[in-house]
């Protein structure tokens, strides 16, 4: 690494099964899982920061050729709060899905510089396979990014506690994907974000930004 400082070494360790910092003290990147079901990948990704720093956690995004736009976005959300391992079939995927991939990469470039200094938190607690809603938050110096996954839930609305910003005036918006429908609203008094995801299997990244006195005026 001293001879080739621009070369990135990955500690695959059989898809994260042998993840430890005896290795990661030497290598900058860790593959978190070889899971091939993107819905299961969401649960693994949501919990990954309990074991590996987000800037070292490589998560596979693999929308296949027959993916819908929602499935494509779900794959991208899986990886965007950590390090994207982009795979799948972007070479033959439908143009509207390719556009969702590109949007994800563009959004990721806007936020990736903040990931190493961010603090992970879990608005809904740690996730388990089979949970209908999953969430992972990343708090930076000026913003909070919250990934939300809806996994075959019969209800499309979820309330996500963000107690550290309770009482603060906050602007809430969908960070990714803006090309697909969703709704969100910040509850200042409760310190929570209400989110609406229209599809039974879907995912979004919302962003919270504090409003200063000048913005309020």
């Amino acid at each position: 690494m001293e001879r080739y400082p621009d070369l990135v070494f990955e500690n695959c360790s059989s898809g994260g099964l042998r993840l430890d910092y005896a290795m990661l003290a030497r290598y900058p990147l860790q593959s978190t899982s070889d899971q091939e079901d993107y819905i299961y990948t969401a649960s693994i990704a949501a919990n990954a920061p309990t074991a590996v720093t987000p800037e070292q956690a490589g998560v596979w995004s693999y929308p296949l050729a027959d993916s819908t736009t929602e499935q494509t976005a779900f794959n991208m959300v899986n990886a965007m709060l950590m390090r994207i391992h982009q795979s799948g079939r972007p070479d033959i995927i439908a143009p509207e899905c390719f556009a969702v991939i590109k949007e994800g990469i563009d959004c990721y470039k806007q936020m990736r510089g903040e990931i190493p200094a961010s603090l992970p938190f879990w608005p809904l607690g740690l996730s388990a396979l089979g949970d209908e809603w999953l969430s992972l938050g990343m708090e930076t110096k000026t913003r909070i990014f919250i990934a939300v996954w809806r996994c075959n839930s019969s209800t499309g609305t979820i309330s996500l506690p963000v107690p550290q910003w309770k009482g603060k005036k906050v602007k809430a918006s969908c960070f990714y994907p803006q090309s697909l429908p969703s709704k969100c609203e910040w509850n200042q008094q409760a310190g929570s974000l209400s989110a609406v995801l229209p599809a039974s299997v879907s995912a979004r990244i919302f962003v919270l930004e504090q409003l200063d006195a000048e913005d309020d005026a």
Side-chain angles (χ1 to χ4, degrees):
M1 293 180 69
E2 290 177 354
R3 291 178 63 186
Y4 304 100
D6 295 329
L7 183 61
V8 177
F9 291 89
E10 177 192 343
N11 179 45
C12 181
S13 295
S14 186
L17 292 177
R18 294 188 295 275
L19 188 160
D20 67 81
Y21 269 85
M23 296 295 290
L24 284 174
R26 294 164 172 80
Y27 302 109
L29 183 59
Q30 168 70 56
S31 177
T32 53
S33 178
D34 293 333
Q35 172 59 245
E36 296 182 359
D37 186 313
Y38 69 98
I39 298 179
Y40 290 158
T41 296
S43 185
I44 296 168
N47 291 334
T50 63
V52 58
T53 59
E55 66 269 23
Q56 289 181 284
V59 181
W60 289 102
S61 168
Y62 42 89
L64 301 179
D66 59 351
S67 293
T68 66
T69 52
E70 287 289 1
Q71 291 170 337
T72 302
F74 197 109
N75 267 281
M76 297 302 296
V77 171
N78 284 349
M80 285 175 61
L81 295 190
M82 286 160 279
R83 286 178 70 152
I84 299 175
H85 283 187
Q86 190 62 56
S87 183
R89 293 306 308 269
D91 56 324
I92 59 173
I93 204 166
E96 61 270 22
C97 294
F98 185 86
V100 172
I101 296 174
K102 183 181 184 302
E103 182 187 358
I105 298 296
D106 290 342
C107 288
Y108 183 68
K109 289 179 179 179
Q110 297 174 31
M111 64 179 292
R112 63 184 175 184
E114 301 178 62
I115 292 175
S118 63
L119 180 65
F121 69 100
W122 289 266
L124 300 177
L126 297 179
S127 63
L129 293 178
D131 285 353
E132 294 186 348
W133 288 94
L134 319 173
S135 183
L136 169 65
M138 300 286 280
E139 183 175 2
T140 75
K141 288 184 178 180
T142 60
R143 301 190 287 184
I144 289 180
F145 295 97
I146 301 179
V148 185
W149 294 268
R150 180 182 173 186
C151 304
N152 291 306
S153 173
S154 58
T155 58
T157 303
I158 189 71
S159 179
L160 304 163
V162 189
Q164 63 269 44
W165 278 17
K166 183 177 180 179
K168 298 181 181 295
K169 295 183 178 180
V170 170
K171 176 185 176 183
S173 59
C174 181
F175 183 75
Y176 173 82
Q178 297 180 21
S179 57
L180 297 177
S182 65
K183 295 180 181 179
C184 66
E185 183 178 1
W186 173 249
N187 187 319
Q188 181 179 344
Q189 185 175 2
S192 63
L193 177 71
S194 295
V196 179
L197 275 63
S200 61
V201 177
S202 53
R204 300 288 186 270
I205 295 177
F206 298 100
V207 61
L208 305 179
E209 301 171 275
Q210 290 193 42
L211 298 172
D212 57 28
E214 182 178 345
D215 291 332
D216 292 343

